[in-house]
Amino acid sequence: MVFLALLLGALFTTTAEAASKRVGVPKFDGVQEALVRKKVMQILKSHGYDLAKSREMEIGLANTGALLDNDEGFQKVAKELALSSIVTGEIGKKRAKISVHDGRDSSLLGETSFTGANPRKIMAEVGRSFWTKLGAEIERGKTPSGAKKPTKVVAEAPEDNENTPDTVGEGEAPAEAKGKNAETVEAAAPETGGEGEAPKKKKKKKKQTRMEGEGDTVVEEGPEVIPPTFDAQVGFRAISRTLAYHQDASTPGLRSYSLFPGPAAYASIVWYPLGPFSDGPAKNLGFEGAIEQAFGISSSTPAMGGTPAMKFGTTIHEFGGGARYRMPWGPGHYFYGSLTGGEHAFTFTSTATGMRSMLDIPDTIYRFIRPGIGLHLEVVPALLSVTLSGGFRWVFNKGGQFHDEFFKHATVNGVDAQLMIAYRYSSLIEFRAIGDLRRYFSSMNCFGGTDAGGNAINQCDARFTAGGAVDQYISGSAMIAFTLGGSEVKTAGEAEEPPPPPKRKRKVQSEEEEPPLGDDVKSDKGGGGDE
């Protein structure tokens, strides 16, 4: 009797455990829900769960008169179909929300979201992280007491075949189609002759595919690659400067200036705030800002005649910001235009060995409005990129002291150009090398002479008379950048899944071969799959 009791207990435990491994997966909400639902079913099946798929769920709901919109509905269908848990989903264009409900009390065991640039990217993300995020919640599910013994569904809906090509191509191979599923594959194939004959005619591969269980036709194009929506970089740069005059007619002569590269810190951000929330043109409208601050730099003049050598403090900074709009295309390339404003200053200060008033070199404070353009190219996608940019600097304050005290009739404007080479270290980090050129050009407008009324025309101070000047900055930077948002980018070392294999021309299949991935004609084998 003890042995019989233990045997009955073991049988009861085994039955209860088997019942607890049955999960209901009804149709999800969303136009292309079948892609994500099939991936969920694949994962559940790989973890040993028996599945109640969409047709069986529909029958269970019809038998109980329940709806999956309240706790009572979840409990009724879970008891009818002996389900330990029920997985539901809402699929959007770039986000999927998947929920797990307990079969016994219908409580929400877990809920999480998966994002991607399109439904196939969402499907891939589900494949990578579904079990990590929701596996423990599914294991906690319990079958209702008094649940009916599961009965076999006679016919399985075609859209419930989780091994169809829709759910592969992201690094997985399809399982062998069997029974009704194989017949479903054959139903879409053109007529063939008897066993051993090749198809009567070959059709060129389709450019479009119809999603299983859906009415919409989706063109199989390469997924849209969306550049990051947030980009922040920080690092160090070395700055050199050359200030030179031409047509110098001053007395005793203007003093030029040069700076051997000095150190500076640099940081910038670019942010597209609507990128994660919009599919319209507004997603490419962004904001940018940057700041440069030099440190540890001084300037000196040599001893001349009776004037001793002097040393002066030197301050260099630039800051600016504004808006930009980008136009992406291809595998991560984009063109952008921007409109920004800012200040670029180079000033001298007195020290113990030099009075600023004794230095005949002007401070320059350029306040500017800058329209600009840029081009970003992915030379090696997800690994190496190049960005070229440039802009015109309309200096609206004429250079500060440069104009106000030294060259009172001067006009000044500038241009800039930048080359950036970036190496992607990981999905979030890039290392960048940047070269910058900033060039300001001035016209002193020292016409001289008088007008008809005897009034002086643009007569410059004899000490500061010249035709013009060029103020040029060349700098090199080493940066580390942090990027977020946009399409998920993985380097070769991070990639978990190989790219889909290239499509090949259809060929006659042998008895042992399975149909090629995505092929919609049957093989030369006349019958269906193994019954």
Side-chain angles (χ1 to χ4, degrees):
M1 290 182 67
V2 171
F3 173 76
L4 181 61
L6 291 173
L7 179 61
L8 291 173
L11 291 173
F12 176 78
T13 302
T14 302
T15 302
E17 288 177 354
S20 69
K21 292 178 72 64
R22 184 168 167 79
V23 178
V25 187
K27 277 189 177 181
F28 292 171
D29 293 331
V31 175
Q32 297 182 24
E33 59 84 28
L35 282 172
V36 177
R37 177 163 53 89
K38 289 177 185 179
K39 181 59 69 175
V40 170
M41 291 193 294
Q42 278 188 348
I43 296 168
L44 292 171
K45 196 170 182 179
S46 70
H47 284 82
Y49 285 87
D50 183 27
L51 302 178
K53 303 178 184 180
S54 67
R55 182 166 291 181
E56 188 174 355
M57 290 294 292
E58 289 172 1
I59 294 172
L61 290 168
N63 290 343
T64 59
L67 295 174
L68 294 181
D69 59 1
N70 55 58
D71 291 350
E72 184 180 4
F74 280 104
Q75 286 178 325
K76 283 183 177 180
V77 74
K79 188 171 184 178
E80 174 73 14
L81 301 178
L83 306 176
S84 63
S85 57
I86 299 173
V87 179
T88 60
E90 300 174 9
I91 313 303
K93 291 182 179 179
K94 294 187 177 182
R95 188 182 302 272
K97 183 173 72 173
I98 298 179
S99 307
V100 179
H101 288 264
D102 182 60
R104 177 174 295 180
D105 60 14
S106 75
S107 61
L108 181 64
L109 296 174
E111 184 176 80
T112 191
S113 294
F114 303 84
T115 58
N118 53 49
R120 286 191 177 274
K121 287 292 184 181
I122 296 174
M123 177 188 73
E125 180 61 26
V126 169
R128 283 189 289 269
S129 59
F130 174 82
W131 192 253
T132 302
K133 293 181 177 181
L134 292 174
E137 284 68 26
I138 291 171
E139 291 175 344
R140 283 166 42 208
K142 294 180 174 59
T143 306
S145 57
K148 294 183 179 181
K149 181 180 179 181
T151 57
K152 181 177 177 59
V153 177
V154 176
E156 186 177 89
E159 62 267 25
D160 282 342
N161 179 11
E162 71 274 13
N163 295 315
T164 52
D166 283 340
T167 51
V168 295
E170 298 287 342
E172 301 178 15
E176 183 181 359
K178 294 185 179 181
K180 293 291 181 180
N181 296 338
E183 293 173 7
T184 302
V185 172
E186 288 189 34
E191 242 180 70
T192 62
E195 186 168 344
E197 293 183 16
K200 290 184 178 179
K201 60 180 179 179
K202 298 180 180 178
K203 296 181 180 179
K204 62 182 180 181
K205 63 183 180 181
K206 292 186 176 181
K207 295 294 185 182
Q208 297 181 328
T209 181
R210 189 173 296 277
M211 297 300 171
E212 293 284 350
E214 303 297 338
D216 292 344
T217 297
V218 178
V219 178
E220 287 190 330
E221 298 176 344
E224 180 187 6
V225 178
I226 301 173
T229 56
F230 182 82
D231 184 304
Q233 63 178 354
V234 64
F236 292 95
R237 64 175 27 173
I239 305 173
S240 66
R241 182 201 187 195
T242 302
L243 172 63
Y245 301 93
H246 56 86
Q247 296 178 333
D248 183 3
S250 60
T251 302
L254 294 169
R255 187 190 298 272
S256 60
Y257 179 86
S258 63
L259 170 69
F260 186 78
Y266 181 82
S268 70
I269 62 168
V270 179
W271 180 36
Y272 297 86
L274 300 181
F277 310 106
S278 172
D279 287 328
K283 72 180 180 182
N284 291 313
L285 177 62
F287 302 94
E288 62 178 275
I291 185 169
E292 171 191 273
Q293 180 64 59
F295 56 90
I297 297 176
S298 61
S299 302
S300 60
T301 59
M304 294 183 65
T307 305
M310 294 184 290
K311 188 174 183 178
F312 304 92
T314 305
T315 301
I316 310 170
H317 72 253
E318 180 173 334
F319 58 82
R324 70 161 60 184
Y325 189 85
R326 70 182 175 191
M327 290 158 276
W329 87 91
H333 311 315
Y334 60 87
F335 172 84
Y336 70 87
S338 61
L339 182 63
T340 58
E343 176 180 288
H344 184 194
F346 195 111
T347 59
F348 302 96
T349 56
S350 299
T351 66
T353 60
M355 294 294 295
R356 174 65 185 91
S357 59
M358 299 292 292
L359 181 62
D360 54 355
I361 301 175
D363 291 343
T364 55
I365 302 177
Y366 303 117
R367 292 177 182 153
F368 57 86
I369 300 295
R370 177 189 179 274
I373 57 174
L375 177 66
H376 175 88
L377 299 173
E378 291 286 325
V379 179
V380 181
L383 185 65
L384 188 68
S385 65
V386 173
T387 304
L388 299 167
S389 61
F392 176 79
R393 299 187 174 203
W394 173 59
V395 179
F396 57 82
N397 73 328
K398 301 182 180 180
Q401 188 190 52
F402 179 87
H403 171 274
D404 298 342
E405 297 185 20
F406 283 75
F407 307 101
K408 297 185 178 181
H409 306 291
T411 56
V412 58
N413 287 297
V415 294
D416 62 60
Q418 182 183 92
L419 169 65
M420 179 175 74
I421 300 174
Y423 170 77
R424 182 165 288 279
Y425 175 75
S426 71
S427 57
L428 299 178
I429 298 175
E430 281 188 354
F431 295 117
R432 297 173 176 174
I434 302 175
D436 279 282
L437 169 68
R438 289 166 285 182
R439 183 182 178 92
Y440 300 92
F441 38 88
S442 306
S443 177
M444 306 313 186
N445 300 315
C446 295
F447 300 142
T450 58
D451 60 16
N455 300 311
I457 304 175
N458 287 6
Q459 288 188 353
C460 297
D461 190 315
R463 297 171 300 168
F464 310 120
T465 300
V470 173
D471 190 6
Q472 180 169 282
Y473 299 78
I474 296 177
S475 61
S477 308
M479 313 294 291
I480 181 171
F482 305 91
T483 61
L484 297 171
S487 298
E488 183 176 6
V489 177
K490 286 188 175 292
T491 61
E494 292 180 315
E496 299 176 5
E497 302 171 333
K503 293 189 177 181
R504 296 171 294 177
K505 292 183 179 180
R506 187 172 294 118
K507 63 180 180 179
V508 178
Q509 303 295 313
S510 67
E511 290 280 83
E512 294 77 23
E513 286 181 315
E514 294 178 1
L517 179 62
D519 217 342
D520 58 355
V521 300
K522 63 180 179 179
S523 69
D524 60 347
K525 184 177 176 181
D530 295 336
E531 292 293 330

